[in-house]
Amino acid sequence: MANRKKLIIGNWKMHKNVHEASLLLHKLEQAVPVYRDVEVVLAPTMLALQSLSLQINRRQFKLAAQNCYWRDEGAYTGEVSAAQLHGVADYVVIGHSERRHIFGESERDIRSKVQAAVRNRLHPVLCVGETATERADNETKHVIHDQIVSGLANITSEEIGFVAIAYEPVWAIGTGQNAEPADVDKVARLIHKQVASLYGEEAAAALRILYGGSVNDQNAGHYLSSERIDGLLVGGASLSPKVFAKIVEQAHNKHNDKQV
Ligand code: PGA
């Protein structure tokens, strides 16, 4: 919504080792201006979270994990819990399409992870979106509805404002085929409506809705012009300090446009 801070998240995915991540952060520190009305979040490899958390200026950037496990501790070899991320990251991306489709994450996993994030005071960024086939079959509305109802099933109306939802059409991720801003605006309104019908208008007004999928410095502004879009989840373009900085600048400009 217009009077809220914009949220720009850079998802580095499985790129950069610890040393390279530190260098990228250094370049971003120089390139990305600090605006009071834009919150900038970086999601590096899990391995680099700890070291970057020591390097980072928290007024400029916050950190996100790209995933977490939903139990707080125990014999779960290879997993990292939301409880362990507490104090290192502020956000956690949950149910990204690569997690759903490559790693077979189920709706049950995703809803438990959203709950674990909130329990451990990490903002969950719940990713939802239809595949190309679902889109061709006119299923977008139903897919989004089901993913939202299921993903938020363990969340109370008081907790909704702590959550962000990223609408990321699967066919738009990493393909250069970004969604039409008008269609994204429609889906964002739909998400708002669905959350309002589940949790009430007040809770829905507090929810942040982002768009992700082939965002770059040329198209970012179009999405941010929508009243319903509070920010962007940026993949490939977040690895270029120059491009990412331009996206953050646009978030600031758009925010100012809407204030007048
Ligand atoms: P992309 O990735 O910007 O490279 O399409 C977005 C995402 O996966 O979050």
Side-chain angles (χ1 to χ4, degrees):
M1 303 236 83
N3 54 1
R4 247 201 314 263
K5 261 193 183 189
K6 292 286 175 203
L7 175 60
I8 306 294
I9 306 179
N11 176 9
W12 297 0
K13 307 196 179 183
M14 202 175 72
H15 295 291
K16 311 290 174 190
N17 62 28
V18 174
H19 178 64
E20 291 163 346
S22 170
L23 287 179
L24 178 56
L25 173 60
H26 184 66
K27 288 189 186 148
L28 286 165
E29 277 168 347
Q30 288 165 336
V32 179
V34 179
Y35 299 116
R36 269 191 309 169
D37 56 3
V38 187
E39 191 169 358
V40 185
V41 179
L42 308 175
T45 162
M46 193 75 91
L47 204 57
L49 273 176
Q50 169 70 14
S51 54
L52 294 196
S53 79
L54 301 174
Q55 184 184 339
I56 217 155
N57 167 3
R58 281 178 189 257
R59 276 191 52 245
Q60 188 174 23
F61 300 117
K62 298 216 164 90
L63 291 174
Q66 298 173 14
N67 182 31
C68 69
Y69 190 52
W70 55 274
R71 297 228 191 241
D72 285 349
E73 63 172 10
Y76 303 103
T77 302
E79 292 297 314
V80 175
S81 71
Q84 290 171 316
L85 289 166
H86 179 84
V88 179
D90 293 293
Y91 285 80
V92 57
V93 178
I94 292 174
H96 188 279
S97 85
E98 285 148 19
R99 303 268 354 141
R100 291 177 190 260
H101 299 290
I102 303 174
F103 300 101
E105 259 182 32
S106 69
E107 288 296 345
R108 184 171 165 266
D109 294 329
I110 291 164
R111 93 170 67 107
S112 303
K113 289 178 180 197
V114 169
Q115 184 183 29
V118 172
R119 183 168 70 236
N120 288 288
R121 307 305 295 158
L122 296 171
H123 294 280
V125 181
L126 170 64
C127 301
V128 299
E130 80 286 1
T131 62
T133 316
E134 289 162 344
R135 180 179 184 231
D137 292 344
N138 255 324
E139 286 292 327
T140 301
K141 199 172 159 180
H142 297 121
V143 171
I144 303 294
H145 175 266
D146 291 353
Q147 289 178 345
I148 285 181
V149 171
S150 172
L152 298 178
N154 296 329
I155 297 301
T156 66
S157 53
E158 289 76 37
E159 291 166 339
I160 289 289
F162 200 67
V163 177
I165 290 185
Y167 170 52
E168 296 209 302
V170 177
W171 49 270
I173 297 177
T175 57
Q177 225 190 71
N178 58 301
E180 284 299 322
D183 292 340
V184 171
D185 181 69
K186 252 189 239 159
V187 175
R189 283 171 197 279
L190 190 79
I191 293 173
H192 177 92
K193 219 169 113 190
Q194 287 171 351
V195 173
S197 76
L198 289 169
Y199 295 95
E201 190 54 49
E202 200 182 318
L207 174 78
R208 288 182 291 180
I209 302 174
L210 318 180
Y211 168 72
S214 296
V215 170
N216 58 36
D217 54 339
Q218 304 299 312
N219 60 33
H222 301 309
Y223 300 111
L224 293 165
S225 298
S226 158
E227 280 291 315
R228 292 284 172 211
I229 296 293
D230 298 297
L232 300 166
L233 180 49
V234 187
S238 71
L239 296 169
S240 160
K242 227 169 114 184
V243 175
F244 193 62
K246 281 195 193 149
I247 294 172
V248 172
E249 278 165 31
Q250 286 180 41
H252 170 64
N253 293 338
K254 289 293 167 193
H255 191 271
N256 281 357
D257 288 353
K258 286 181 190 172
Q259 295 296 300
V260 286

